[in-house]
């Protein structure tokens, strides 16, 4: 498909997403956003396990790093949502870079063991440090962005998540895009 067709399809899907999310209840909108988050997670696992052939068990730990960064920035520093999303992604990427440098020479079961250690050790930090909320984590209430006005409907959670899911999808399907690298397993 050409770029114009891709943009036209994306625009039609965006309009459909807005119409569907406004027509549904806030709970169904939240469910749609949750499904989009799962699509992103599965696409990441597909790239890691399916295309590169590596076994990594620490993906949840990196998601936790980003989630805790977002919750702490919202609760304690009162950052706007757009900056929180960027900063939490950067925090998770930084955590991944630190672990990646440490585990760069590991392969197969050794890489799995190193990332399993991270996944097992990280939740104990939440118990050790009270600012992280203990075993229940942190509760964050996210309202609609201020620039949208106070009368904006509550059904907006799926709007930022589904574009992320749509952009993650092509990278997880081997051989469907021209820009995708061919990684040997």
């Amino acid at each position: 498909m050409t770029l114009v067709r891709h943009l036209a399809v994306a625009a039609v899907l965006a309009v459909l997403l807005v119409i569907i999310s406004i027509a549904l209840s806030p709970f169904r909108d939240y469910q749609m956003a949750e499904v989009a988050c799962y699509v992103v997670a599965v696409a990441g696992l597909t790239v890691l396990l399916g295309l590169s052939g590596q076994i990594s068990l620490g993906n949840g730990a990196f998601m936790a790093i980003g989630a805790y960064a977002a919750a702490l920035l919202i609760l304690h520093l009162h950052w706007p949502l757009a900056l929180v999303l960027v900063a939490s992604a950067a925090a998770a990427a930084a955590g991944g870079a630190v672990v990646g440098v440490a585990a760069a020479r590991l392969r197969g079961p050794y890489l799995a063991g190193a990332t399993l250690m991270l996944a097992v050790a990280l939740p104990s930090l939440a118990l050790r440090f009270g600012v992280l909320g203990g075993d229940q984590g942190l509760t964050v209430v996210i309202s609609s962005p201020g620039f949208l006005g106070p009368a904006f409907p509550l059904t907006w959670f799926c709007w930022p998540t589904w574009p992320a899911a749509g952009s993650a999808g092509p990278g997880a399907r081997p051989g469907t895009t021209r820009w995708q690298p061919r990684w040997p397993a």
Side-chain angles (χ1 to χ4, degrees):
M1 285 171 117
T2 64
L3 177 63
V4 176
R5 287 186 196 166
H6 280 290
L7 293 176
V9 168
V12 168
L13 290 176
V15 169
L16 284 174
L17 179 67
V18 169
I19 291 170
I20 289 171
S21 68
I22 290 175
L24 294 176
S25 68
F27 176 71
R28 294 292 181 209
D29 180 70
Y30 175 76
Q31 283 183 324
M32 285 175 55
E34 204 168 52
V35 167
C37 291
Y38 287 134
V39 167
V40 171
V42 167
L45 286 173
T46 301
V47 169
L48 180 68
L49 298 173
L51 298 179
S52 71
Q54 295 295 319
I55 300 172
S56 173
L57 304 171
N59 295 11
F62 300 126
M63 290 174 61
I65 289 171
Y68 272 115
L72 290 171
L73 289 173
I74 289 173
L75 289 176
H76 298 292
L77 298 179
H78 309 289
W79 280 22
L81 184 60
L83 288 178
V84 166
L85 293 176
V86 171
S88 63
V98 168
V99 173
V101 167
R105 294 186 174 202
L106 300 177
R107 297 284 183 256
Y110 302 107
L111 177 64
T115 57
L116 177 62
M117 180 273 312
L118 175 70
V120 169
L122 194 67
S124 65
L125 292 177
L127 296 174
R128 176 96 171 126
F129 300 105
V131 71
L132 298 177
D135 60 350
Q136 295 298 313
L138 298 170
T139 302
V140 178
V141 177
I142 299 175
S143 58
S144 61
F147 67 89
L148 296 174
F152 192 74
L154 293 175
T155 57
W156 65 275
F157 290 117
C158 69
W159 296 1
T161 54
W162 273 103
S167 65
R173 294 183 308 224
T176 58
T177 60
R178 285 183 287 175
W179 52 266
Q180 180 181 2
R182 302 283 185 231
W183 294 329

